[in-house]
Amino acid sequence: MSAEPERFSLARVSSREWTGLGAGVVATLALFLPWTNLSATNQVVDEALRELPSSDVARDAWTTGFLAWCGPLLLLVAGLAVVAFGQFRKVRVAGLPHLWLIFAGVALLLMVLGWFAMGWQFDSDTRGLLEDGGIGLYAGIGRYLGMLGALASTAAAVLDVRALRRR
């Protein structure tokens, strides 16, 4: 008797795997939203910032740097992999949930580092000018959504590894 090979079916994709894909998609879409915003406490400086082109005041992940765009792309790759291959027992036993957890953890680490290194997207002269002008750097909505995606993917990956251990 020959065993029939497993076939791909969307019905067999678990909710954890869909969460991983959804988190990757949300984080990837967040790449196009503002990740870093400039804002001033001084009214005159704040009005001057409003007159600048929006790309100079609000930066997306692509212009923010590697620590901003790499994490969401890793989440997307991990999400696509777990949906495409997660239902196959041999792939799961070979370590797909663990690989997903590593990808999600690395993505989360990169985004946390990017949050703390937000000011380093500017050279030292520019950082000095911004500080002297009373201009602060703040996280934009894209950074928050990317971090939410990383946390969701990491949590789903942890649950998936635990589910694999129970089998």
Side-chain angles (χ1 to χ4, degrees), residues 41 49 56 58 62 118 123 125 134-135 164:
T41 54
L49 285 176
D56 290 343
W62 304 109
M118 198 177 346
D123 62 21
D125 293 336
I135 299 172
L164 180 67

Side-chain angles (χ1 to χ4, degrees), residues 101-116:
L101 181 59
I102 290 169
F103 270 53
V106 168
L108 182 61
L109 177 65
L110 287 172
M111 284 192 252
V112 167
L113 288 174
W115 203 302
F116 287 113

Side-chain angles (χ1 to χ4, degrees), residues 49-87:
L49 285 176
R50 284 192 211 132
E51 293 176 7
L52 290 173
S54 63
S55 62
D56 290 343
V57 179
R59 292 181 165 207
D60 62 12
W62 304 109
T63 56
T64 299
F66 175 78
L67 293 175
W69 57 259
C70 185
L73 292 180
L74 280 175
L75 292 176
L76 181 63
V77 168
L80 289 170
V82 297
V83 166
F85 304 113
Q87 60 190 298

Side-chain angles (χ1 to χ4, degrees), residues 10-93:
L10 288 177
R12 290 190 306 199
V13 177
S14 74
S15 61
R16 292 182 306 274
E17 293 162 344
W18 283 120
T19 301
L21 178 61
V25 169
V26 166
T28 302
L29 291 175
L31 291 172
F32 301 97
L33 298 172
W35 277 62
T36 304
N37 294 317
L38 299 177
S39 180
T41 54
N42 183 331
Q43 185 69 22
V44 174
V45 176
D46 196 43
E47 287 176 14
L49 285 176
R50 284 192 211 132
E51 293 176 7
L52 290 173
S54 63
S55 62
D56 290 343
V57 179
R59 292 181 165 207
D60 62 12
W62 304 109
T63 56
T64 299
F66 175 78
L67 293 175
W69 57 259
C70 185
L73 292 180
L74 280 175
L75 292 176
L76 181 63
V77 168
L80 289 170
V82 297
V83 166
F85 304 113
Q87 60 190 298
F88 301 112
R89 179 159 171 65
K90 286 182 180 181
V91 177
R92 291 189 55 74
V93 171

Side-chain angles (χ1 to χ4, degrees), residues 132-156:
D132 291 344
I135 299 172
L137 297 170
Y138 301 97
I141 187 72
R143 196 174 293 269
Y144 286 105
L145 285 175
M147 189 65 71
L148 180 66
L151 290 171
S153 184
T154 302

